[in-house]
């Protein structure tokens, strides 16, 4: 092989492995407590590591997931995240978690996707209808009603939702396979983008009246 081909292959291999692993699969340190570089010059996975000698227990600690959050919002659900933003010690570890509270009679975590994480959810209280949809061309809905102690997994990237079909609060916890899973909420991304997607495009894509698209864009 020519030298150039070898260099290109190595580059592609390095790129592929950096895309494959959201976490560092083979860390050469015990941890990397995230700090935002005051000089802001170079970012590794979006953060810098604090000097390990300065790491303290609070970098690996969060308190408050025992508290039920107010669900009086338009969807009737509230997510309390514990990811790298709340717990800097999670940086490079490829895990995080959330508590989700759902209001009785229809509290909804609306259809959304985590571009970088699978999610494993356990119900502690209440009755939760959950589901995800597979990719094209099947677009198969895989759904289930969960009761306390039931666990369900949402595979990485797939659109999913949770809906409280009971008359009591639902409390659920979920683990996510990224320290920074992010969320793309479908309605917000499609109808609430900033600036707006041209209404003609959405009317055609969703087979909707132009006026209906404008209304949806107003809503989101
Ligand atoms: C919950 O939030 C709503 C809307 O913001 C507010 O009116 C209500 O007082 C809050 N309830 C509690 C118990 O804090």
């Amino acid at each position: 092989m020519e030298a150039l081909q070898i260099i290109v292959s190595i580059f592609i291999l390095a790129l592929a492995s950096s895309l494959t692993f959201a976490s560092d699969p083979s860390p050469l340190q015990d941890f990397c407590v995230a700090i935002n570089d005051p000089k802001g010059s170079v970012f590794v996975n979006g953060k810098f590591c604090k000097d390990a000698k300065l790491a303290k227990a609070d970098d690996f600690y969060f308190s408050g997931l025992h508290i039920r959050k107010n669900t009086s919002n338009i969807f009737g659900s509230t997510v309390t995240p514990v990811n790298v933003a709340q717990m800097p010690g999670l940086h490079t570890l490829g895990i995080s978690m959330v508590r989700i509270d759902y209001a009785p009679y229809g509290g909804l975590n609306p259809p959304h996707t985590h571009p970088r994480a699978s999610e494993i959810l356990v119900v502690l209280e209440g009755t939760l209808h959950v589901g995800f949809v597979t990719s094209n061309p099947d677009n198969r809905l895989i759904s289930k009603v969960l009761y306390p102690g039931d666990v369900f997994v949402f595979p990485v990237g797939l659109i999913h939702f949770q809906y409280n079909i009971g008359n009591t609060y639902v409390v659920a916890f979920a683990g996510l396979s990224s320290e920074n899973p992010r969320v793309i909420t479908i309605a917000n991304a499609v109808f609430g983008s900033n600036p707006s997607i041209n209404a003609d495009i959405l009317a055609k894509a969703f087979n909707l009246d132009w006026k209906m698209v404008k209304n949806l864009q107003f809503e989101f």
Side-chain angles (χ1 to χ4, degrees), residues 106-167:
L108 173 68
N109 190 5
H112 64 278
T113 166
H114 306 288
R116 292 189 278 282
S118 294
E119 172 176 351
I120 185 163
L121 178 140
V122 59
V123 171
L124 266 67
E125 287 174 31
T127 311
L128 196 63
H129 170 58
V130 302
F132 65 83
V133 180
T134 68
S135 59
N136 294 344
D138 293 348
N139 300 131
R140 182 175 159 216
L141 171 65
I142 296 182
S143 70
K144 185 97 182 150
V145 174
L146 305 181
Y147 301 95
D150 291 355
V151 178
F152 201 78
V153 66
F154 306 103
V156 59
L158 300 185
I159 293 174
H160 59 281
F161 59 83
Q162 300 109 27
Y163 187 51
N164 184 354
I165 56 171
N167 57 9

Side-chain angles (χ1 to χ4, degrees), residues 166-209:
N167 57 9
T168 59
Y169 280 97
V170 167
V171 179
F173 285 79
L176 294 125
S177 60
S178 167
E179 68 266 22
N180 187 18
R182 307 294 295 194
V183 183
I184 297 170
T185 304
I186 308 309
N188 299 53
V190 172
F191 295 105
S193 70
N194 187 15
S196 297
I197 298 174
N198 184 319
D200 294 337
I201 293 171
L202 296 180
K204 193 161 189 171
F206 289 86
N207 194 17
L208 284 174
D209 208 60

